[in-house]
C-alpha cells in the first residue's frame, strides 16, 4: 500500500510536526471522549430544566427578589408547558390594544426588549415577551437542532397560551431583535396572514459570509474538542463582548450622554450582563442551546426566506445601527433591498451599536409608532 503521508527529512519541518502533533492530540482527546461517554456517561434527558424548576423552588421570596433576573421582572408571568419543556412568558397591557410579540437574541433572556415593551404598553399595546429555549427561565429541549423550526414551534406555543386570541384577524405585530429578527423573518415567511406587521431590529439572516467566517472556523475546531473543554471556553467567552466593538449597556456599562431606560421597572437596578452571567451559571441547558443555536439558527444565507417576505402586501420596518459590529447597516440594506424589494421595506437608522434596544429604546419606539401611524 502506498504511503499517503510520506514524511521525508525535507517535509519534517517544525511547522509540519507541530500540525501533526496538534491533530493527533485532538483526535486522541476526541476518541477518549467518545469512549468515556459510551462507558460512563448517562444518556442526556430529553429536556434540561431551567431555573424555574432547578432554582426558584428552593429560594425564599426575598432571595428571588435579589436575583440578577427576578422571576417577576415583568407583569403577567406564566410558565407554558409543552412536550419540548416549559417556556417563560410575560403578557401585559390593555386587552383590547394592538398585540405585539417580541423575540430576543442568542445569549440573553428577553430583558433587552423590556424597555421597548414597557413603552409600547404605555401607548395602549398588549405586549408579550418570552425567553427562548435554554435562556432565562425556559427549559432546553435536547436531541433537536435549534433552528427556525424549533423556534417557530415555540412562538406558536407562546401565543396560543394567551387567554386572548393572537392568531385571528387582524393578527399580531412581530418585533425581532438580532437573532430574534432572523427567527421572526422565518416565522412571518410561513405565517404571513398571522402577522399584522413585521419589525426587525438589527436582524440576522442576511449577514454576509465573510463576517461569520471566523465564527464558523471556531465552531469547526471546537467541535473536535471534548465537550467539557468547549463548555468552559464558551462560558468564559460569554462574560465579555462576543464581537469587537460591542460595548454599552448590554454589557452593564453606561454610555455617556444617553438616557438609559431600566430593563425592568420593578427592578430598575438589574442589568442585562449580570442576568446573562447568572443564566450561564444557573441554567443547566444554556450551553446545549447556545451551541446548537450557533450551528443551526438563521444567521446568514436566508435569502429564500427573505424573498418570501417580499410577497407581503404591507411594508416591513428594519431598524439598524450606525456602529453595529455584527449587522452592517449598509450591507443589510443593499442585500435586503435586492432580495425583498425596495417597495416592501422601510428603514430607520439609529446612531448606536448592536444593543440599541437597551441604549436607544425611545428612538426605536418613535420609529415604530411612526411606522404604525400611531
Amino acid at each position: 500500500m502506498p504511503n499517503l503521508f510520506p514524511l521525508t527529512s525535507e517535509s519534517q519541518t517544525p511547522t509540519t510536526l507541530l500540525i501533526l502533533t496538534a491533530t493527533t492530540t485532538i483526535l486522541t482527546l476526541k476518541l477518549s471522549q467518545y469512549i468515556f461517554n459510551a462507558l460512563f456517561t448517562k444518556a442526556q434527558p430529553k429536556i434540561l430544566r431551567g431555573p424555574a424548576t432547578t432554582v426558584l423552588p428552593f429560594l425564599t421570596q426575598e432571595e428571588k427578589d435579589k436575583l440578577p433576573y427576578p422571576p417577576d421582572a415583568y407583569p403577567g408571568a406564566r410558565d407554558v408547558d409543552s412536550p419540548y419543556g416549559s417556556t417563560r412568558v410575560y403578557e401585559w397591557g390593555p386587552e383590547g390594544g394592538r398585540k405585539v410579540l417580541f423575540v430576543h437574541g442568542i445569549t440573553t433572556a428577553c430583558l433587552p426588549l423590556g424597555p421597548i415593551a414597557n413603552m409600547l404598553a404605555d401607548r395602549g399595546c398588549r405586549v408579550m415577551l418570552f425567553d427562548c429555549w435554554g435562556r432565562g427561565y425556559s427549559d432546553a429541549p435536547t436531541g433537536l437542532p435549534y433552528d427556525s423550526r424549533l423556534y417557530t414551534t415555540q412562538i406558536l406555543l407562546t401565543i396560543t397560551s394567551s387567554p386572548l386570541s393572537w392568531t385571528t384577524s387582524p393578527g399580531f405585530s412581530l418585533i425581532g431583535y438580532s437573532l430574534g429578527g432572523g427567527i421572526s423573518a422565518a416565522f412571518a415567511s410561513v405565517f404571513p396572514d398571522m402577522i399584522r406587521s413585521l419589525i426587525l431590529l438589527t436582524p440576522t439572516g442576511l449577514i454576509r459570509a465573510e463576517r461569520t467566517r471566523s465564527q464558523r472556523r471556531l465552531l469547526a475546531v471546537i467541535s473536535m474538542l471534548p465537550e467539557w473543554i468547549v463548555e468552559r471556553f464558551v462560558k468564559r467567552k460569554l462574560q465579555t463582548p462576543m464581537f469587537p466593538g460591542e460595548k454599552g449597556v448590554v454589557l452593564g456599562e453606561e454610555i455617556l450622554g444617553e438616557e438609559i431606560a431600566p430593563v425592568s421597572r420593578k427592578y430598575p437596578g438589574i442589568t442585562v450582563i449580570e442576568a446573562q452571567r447568572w443564566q450561564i451559571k444557573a441554567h443547566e441547558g444554556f450551553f446545549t442551546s447556545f451551541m446548537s443555536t450557533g450551528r443551526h439558527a438563521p444567521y446568514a444565507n436566508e435569502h429564500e426566506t427573505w424573498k418570501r417576505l417580499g410577497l407581503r402586501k404591507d411594508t416591513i420596518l428594519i431598524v439598524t445601527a450606525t456602529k453595529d459590529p455584527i449587522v452592517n447597516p449598509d450591507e443589510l440594506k443593499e442585500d435586503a433591498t435586492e432580495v425583498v424589494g425596495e417597495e416592501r421595506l422601510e428603514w430607520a437608522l439609529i446612531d448606536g451599536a448592536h444593543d440599541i434596544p437597551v441604549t436607544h429604546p425611545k428612538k426605536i419606539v418613535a420609529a415604530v409608532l411612526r411606522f404604525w401611524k400611531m
Side-chain angles (χ1 to χ4, degrees):
M1 177 180 292
N3 188 353
L4 299 179
F5 302 101
L7 289 177
T8 64
S9 58
E10 291 81 4
S11 67
Q12 293 179 357
T13 63
T15 301
T16 303
L17 292 175
L18 180 61
I19 293 174
L20 286 173
T21 301
T23 302
T24 302
T25 302
I26 291 174
L27 291 175
T28 301
L29 287 171
K30 198 65 177 178
L31 179 61
S32 301
Q33 177 192 11
Y34 283 135
I35 295 175
F36 180 86
N37 289 342
L39 295 177
F40 304 107
T41 303
K42 295 181 179 179
Q44 192 177 46
K46 292 183 178 181
I47 298 172
L48 296 175
R49 298 297 178 180
T53 301
T54 62
V55 175
L56 294 184
F58 308 100
L59 301 180
T60 65
Q61 186 58 50
E62 182 180 1
E63 290 172 328
K64 293 177 184 178
D65 293 343
K66 292 180 180 179
L67 288 173
Y69 176 16
D72 57 345
Y74 303 109
R78 63 177 179 266
D79 294 309
V80 180
D81 203 12
S82 76
Y84 300 90
S86 178
T87 293
R88 168 53 60 94
V89 180
Y90 305 93
E91 182 179 359
W92 73 100
E95 292 189 1
R98 174 193 281 261
K99 298 179 179 68
V100 187
L101 177 70
F102 296 83
V103 186
H104 65 78
I106 182 173
T107 56
T108 67
C110 64
L111 292 174
L113 293 167
I116 301 174
N118 276 323
M119 292 179 191
L120 290 180
D122 292 342
R123 295 299 297 264
C125 294
R126 180 75 170 184
V127 299
M128 188 185 294
L129 298 171
F130 70 98
D131 292 338
C132 289
W133 299 122
R135 280 76 164 184
Y137 288 104
S138 293
D139 293 340
T142 64
L144 298 168
Y146 278 63
D147 57 13
S148 299
R149 297 169 297 177
L150 186 62
Y151 287 114
T152 291
T153 300
Q154 189 176 28
I155 290 176
L156 292 172
L157 291 169
T158 297
I159 60 176
T160 54
S161 72
S162 174
L164 307 177
S165 176
W166 282 63
T167 59
T168 55
S169 181
F172 63 93
S173 298
L174 184 57
I175 299 180
Y177 164 53
S178 191
L179 172 62
I183 294 170
S184 297
F187 184 91
S189 73
V190 292
F191 295 105
D193 296 334
M194 201 181 294
I195 304 304
R196 182 176 180 180
S197 69
L198 178 63
I199 298 172
L200 308 176
L201 312 177
T202 62
T204 65
L206 296 180
I207 298 177
R208 293 184 177 178
E210 58 266 24
R211 292 193 172 274
T212 61
R213 187 174 294 116
S214 59
Q215 285 75 29
R216 295 198 308 272
R217 287 175 178 170
L218 180 60
L219 279 174
V221 171
I222 64 178
S223 65
M224 301 177 64
L225 298 173
E227 187 172 289
W228 66 270
I229 294 179
V230 179
E231 184 169 358
R232 290 183 61 181
F233 169 78
V234 169
K235 288 184 175 181
R236 185 172 66 250
K237 176 64 177 174
L238 291 178
Q239 306 294 325
T240 60
M242 289 183 64
F243 295 85
E246 184 188 5
K247 298 180 180 179
V249 178
V250 127
L251 303 175
E253 303 170 1
E254 298 215 354
I255 298 179
L256 296 178
E258 296 292 344
E259 183 180 350
I260 306 303
V263 295
S264 169
R265 290 177 176 174
K266 185 174 183 178
Y267 301 95
I270 66 174
T271 63
V272 173
I273 186 58
E274 289 305 321
Q276 179 176 313
R277 289 170 177 161
W278 171 79
Q279 166 191 261
I280 291 171
K281 296 177 182 178
H283 201 310
E284 297 176 359
F286 171 77
F287 173 73
T288 296
S289 64
F290 179 83
M291 292 302 295
S292 184
T293 301
R295 293 186 177 99
H296 303 292
Y299 292 105
N301 302 316
E302 294 292 308
H303 294 75
E304 290 302 316
T305 294
W306 282 61
K307 189 178 295 184
R308 291 197 295 271
L309 296 179
L311 301 177
R312 295 184 60 83
K313 298 177 182 179
D314 60 354
T315 56
I316 301 164
L317 174 62
I318 301 181
V319 182
T320 55
T322 57
K323 303 179 183 69
D324 193 333
I326 303 171
V327 180
N328 183 280
D330 296 327
E331 293 176 355
L332 178 61
K333 189 169 186 177
E334 178 182 343
D335 296 342
T337 299
E338 180 181 351
V339 176
V340 180
E342 184 176 6
E343 70 282 358
R344 287 286 174 260
L345 299 175
E346 186 172 323
W347 297 87
L349 181 63
I350 293 177
D351 185 17
H354 192 69
D355 49 3
I356 53 173
V358 180
T359 61
H360 298 78
K362 290 183 178 180
K363 292 182 179 178
I364 292 176
V365 169
V368 170
L369 294 178
R370 284 196 303 270
F371 180 63
W372 288 342
K373 296 179 172 56
M374 287 179 61

